[in-house]
């Protein structure tokens, strides 16, 4: 719930499940097939309920919710909400300072209630890649990401946009256990390759290496903002309690331990209203005028100190020591010896 609350405040949030094949990642994210009791709901339907409960009780803003659903299958991006579109070639990963990392050309559908989100998930689930293996009767053969973008427009005209990424990673596989052959074997190779790259990125981030290999995989490229970027990220670890899987369980827990040390720097995605911008401009103009006056006083002092009338033993005349006007925004002007320390908001992965 804290992650969803942050998204509703205008932050970006990511929740993703990691673990070996058959450990319960899809069950954690989506829950069982319907009908099911409320206590068995997955994270995605619970997030949907939380979002619309908030919207129903908030009268201070209007909301628009857009959803997208993609899968990364054998290092190719597929749009699960537009499977009959012009193909996958038009889906490109883009990056910009304002939007971060996103997939260009991905279909987005509006949602007005919980049922709309359930319908979109059911539609996408019918087209995503699954198969039967020795570890799982319905094994995900791709990584999937369901994204909910929440745009809020306040009565004063300001807007906030929070983006929630809900990711179900395909599980790492030991071929000796899954018994994969043919096409399923090729899928397993690509899954393990992308998860290996994810592990390399986590290791590079936690050891402060100069290069992070995000571009080595479509998965890590899409997760770039969630790993050390402008996103509050929650990692769900799915483990098997059976002794048969002890090696994989230890590896999964070690992955989570490393990932927990990553720090993300986040900010609210807010666009100020016209009134707020006008007030900011007015404040900055007053500050500039105050600084100009301060600069004028300092120039007069320097000019006097360079003149033959200056006597160090007598100091500077009082008429040249007139205090400058106070800054409208800070309340005082910094002295020549003062320092400023930048601050940032950070979130542990």
């Amino acid at each position: 719930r804290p992650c969803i609350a942050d998204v509703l405040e205008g932050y970006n949030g990511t929740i993703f499940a990691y673990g070996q094949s058959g450990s319960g990642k899809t069950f954690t994210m989506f829950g069982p097939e319907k009908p099911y009791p409320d206590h068995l709901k997955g994270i995605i339907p619970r997030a949907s309920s939380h979002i619309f409960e908030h919207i129903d009780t908030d009268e201070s803003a209007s909301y628009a919710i857009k959803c997208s659903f993609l899968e990364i299958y054998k290092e190719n991006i597929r749009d699960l909400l537009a499977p009959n579109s012009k193909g996958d070639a038009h889906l490109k990963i883009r990056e910009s300072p304002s939007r971060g990392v996103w997939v260009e050309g991905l279909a987005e559908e509006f949602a007005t209630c919980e049922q709309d989100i359930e319908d979109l998930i059911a539609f996408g689930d019918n087209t995503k890649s699954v198969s039967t293996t020795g570890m799982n009767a319905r094994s995900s053969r791709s990584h999937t990401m369901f994204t909910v973008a929440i745009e809020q427009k306040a009565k004063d005209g300001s807007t906030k946009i929070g983006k929630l990424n809900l990711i179900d990673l395909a599980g790492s596989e030991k071929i000796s256990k899954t018994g994969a052959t043919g096409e399923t074997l090729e899928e397993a190779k690509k899954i393990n390759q992308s998860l290996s790259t994810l592990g390399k990125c986590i290791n590079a981030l936690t050891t402060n290496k100069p290069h992070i290999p995000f571009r080595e995989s479509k998965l890590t490229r899409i997760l770039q903002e969630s790993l050390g970027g402008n996103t509050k990220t929650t990692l769900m670890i799915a483990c098997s309690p059976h002794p048969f899987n002890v090696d994989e369980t230890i590896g999964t827990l070690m992955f989570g331990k490393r990932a927990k040390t990553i720090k993300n720097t986040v900010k609210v995605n807010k666009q100020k209203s016209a009134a707020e911008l006008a007030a900011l401009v007015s404040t900055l103009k007053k500050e500039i005028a105050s600084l100009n006056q301060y600069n004028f006083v300092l120039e007069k002092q320097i000019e006097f100190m360079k003149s033959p009338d200056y006597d160090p033993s007598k100091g500077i005349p009082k008429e040249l020591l007139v205090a400058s006007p106070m800054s409208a925004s800070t309340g005082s002007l910094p002295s020549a010896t003062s320092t400023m320390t930048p601050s940032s908001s950070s979130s542990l992965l």
Side-chain angles (χ1 to χ4, degrees):
R1 293 181 72 89
C3 181
I4 311 303
D6 288 334
V7 171
L8 290 167
E9 290 296 323
Y11 292 99
N12 294 332
T14 293
I15 303 174
F16 72 97
Y18 177 91
Q20 75 174 110
S21 180
S23 58
K25 299 178 301 300
T26 301
F27 183 89
T28 300
M29 296 303 296
F30 294 92
E33 295 183 2
K34 279 193 167 185
Y36 53 78
D38 285 347
H39 72 275
L40 290 181
K41 274 186 175 182
I43 287 176
I44 294 178
R46 289 175 188 271
S48 173
S49 298
H50 189 165
I51 290 168
F52 285 103
E53 283 174 7
H54 174 85
I55 292 174
D56 289 342
T57 58
D58 184 11
E59 298 180 355
S60 64
S62 59
Y63 290 80
I65 297 179
K66 292 187 290 186
C67 303
S68 61
F69 201 5
L70 65 81
E71 73 171 353
I72 303 173
Y73 175 74
K74 294 172 67 175
E75 283 301 299
N76 293 312
I77 300 174
R78 291 180 173 179
D79 191 341
L80 294 179
L81 297 184
N84 298 319
S85 61
K86 55 185 178 181
D88 304 323
H90 70 294
L91 298 177
K92 303 293 184 182
I93 299 176
R94 304 295 188 193
E95 182 177 9
S96 71
S98 59
R99 293 186 60 181
V101 177
W102 83 98
V103 178
E104 184 180 57
L106 196 64
E108 292 184 307
E109 300 290 341
F110 283 95
T112 59
C113 61
E114 290 182 55
Q115 187 60 48
D116 287 347
I117 289 182
E118 289 183 12
D119 292 343
L120 291 173
I121 291 173
F123 182 85
D125 190 59
N126 288 332
T127 57
K128 79 174 184 179
S129 303
V130 295
S131 183
T132 300
T133 70
M135 295 287 290
N136 198 342
R138 194 173 187 271
S139 174
S140 298
R141 312 312 296 165
S142 63
H143 311 294
T144 61
M145 181 169 76
F146 186 78
T147 300
V148 182
I150 306 171
E151 180 177 353
Q152 307 174 46
K153 188 170 183 180
K155 293 179 179 180
D156 63 3
S158 62
T159 60
K160 291 190 294 188
I161 300 177
K163 186 171 69 172
L164 176 62
N165 302 309
L166 300 158
I167 301 170
D168 176 25
L169 298 179
S172 57
E173 297 186 9
K174 278 190 175 180
I175 307 305
S176 59
K177 290 185 176 181
T178 61
T181 58
E183 185 66 17
T184 305
L185 176 60
E186 295 303 313
E187 293 167 348
K189 290 179 180 178
K190 290 295 184 181
I191 290 170
N192 288 341
Q193 178 184 335
S194 62
L195 292 176
S196 175
T197 303
L198 176 60
K200 288 165 62 178
C201 289
I202 295 292
N203 182 62
L205 286 164
T206 54
T207 55
N208 297 317
K209 291 185 177 179
H211 173 67
I212 314 297
F214 287 122
R215 294 178 181 271
E216 289 187 11
S217 169
K218 296 285 180 63
L219 172 65
T220 51
R221 186 76 174 102
I222 288 177
L223 284 177
Q224 183 172 341
E225 283 290 294
S226 301
L227 303 173
N230 178 31
T231 303
K232 294 193 174 186
T233 302
T234 301
L235 171 61
M236 306 292 296
I237 292 295
C239 296
S240 168
H242 200 284
F244 179 67
N245 298 315
V246 63
D247 291 339
E248 292 88 340
T249 296
I250 292 174
T252 300
L253 292 173
M254 292 300 294
F255 174 88
K257 182 180 178 181
R258 290 194 303 271
K260 193 176 180 180
T261 64
I262 296 175
K263 290 186 177 181
N264 291 3
T265 301
V266 297
K267 63 180 181 180
V268 176
N269 306 306
K270 182 178 180 180
Q271 183 176 348
K272 296 182 182 295
S273 66
E276 289 175 319
L277 290 173
L280 180 60
V281 169
S282 177
T283 299
L284 292 174
K285 284 181 177 179
K286 291 177 181 178
E287 184 173 353
I288 290 171
S290 179
L291 291 172
N292 284 338
Q293 177 63 21
Y294 187 46
N295 186 52
F296 175 78
V297 171
L298 292 177
E299 286 177 348
K300 287 295 183 182
Q301 291 178 5
I302 293 171
E303 187 177 315
F304 174 76
M305 293 172 70
K306 289 181 177 180
S307 71
D309 298 329
Y310 175 61
D311 182 355
S313 63
K314 295 182 179 179
I316 300 174
K318 290 184 178 181
E319 60 267 21
L320 293 180
L321 292 176
V322 178
S324 60
M326 296 177 66
S327 169
S329 62
T330 63
S332 63
L333 290 165
S335 66
T337 58
S338 67
T339 60
M340 298 183 68
T341 303
S343 62
S344 61
S345 173
S346 63
S347 172
L348 288 177
L349 184 70

